[in-house]
Amino acid sequence: MWSWVAHRVTGVLIFFFLFAHVLDTALVRVSPEAYDSVIATYKIPLVNLMEYGLVAAILFHALNGLRVVAVDFWAKGPKYQKQMLWTVVGVWVVLMAGSFYPVLEHTLRTWFGG
């Protein structure tokens, strides 16, 4: 059940990100200065941490979506859904660990120097 909840929550979070992204990109047509101001706020560490959360949400949603497809369309899917969920979680953890420094490099340098 928790994978179902996480899949829905990540889907909603991704939707709201896309909505905000369309709005902030549309600002460039209305006021380039306002667009530059908004983009400048994206360079703060808090927003960078939110970007890492976005990466987490997109990766989990994509991997779990593949699992859902396998459960729905593979005859043995329901039998192996628990193993597939743990595989998704394992792959997600590895990918999140691998994306930690590349995504958070700016924040880590801001906080710890370098």
Side-chain angles (χ1 to χ4, degrees), residues 2-109:
W2 288 110
S3 67
W4 182 88
V5 170
H7 195 73
R8 277 21 177 217
V9 168
T10 56
V12 168
L13 291 173
I14 294 165
F15 170 79
F16 283 120
F17 162 76
L18 289 173
F19 182 72
H21 178 63
V22 168
L23 288 178
D24 69 16
T25 304
L27 274 177
V28 79
R29 304 280 281 165
V30 176
S31 169
E33 295 81 22
Y35 174 78
D36 290 340
S37 175
V38 169
I39 296 303
T41 64
Y42 291 167
K43 296 180 181 175
I44 63 173
L46 175 64
V47 174
N48 192 221
L49 290 171
M50 291 169 60
E51 288 173 337
Y52 189 65
L54 177 64
V55 169
I58 290 170
L59 278 175
F60 179 80
H61 193 79
L63 293 170
N64 193 54
L66 292 173
R67 183 189 71 86
V68 169
V69 168
V71 169
D72 287 346
F73 293 106
W74 180 36
K76 295 182 182 181
K79 178 180 177 183
Y80 295 109
Q81 69 176 333
K82 191 171 188 177
Q83 292 90 336
M84 288 189 290
L85 174 62
W86 286 112
T87 301
V88 162
V89 170
V91 170
W92 179 79
V93 167
V94 169
L95 291 174
M96 288 306 298
S99 68
F100 181 80
Y101 187 75
V103 173
L104 294 175
E105 178 180 5
H106 175 72
T107 295
L108 294 172
R109 288 184 188 276

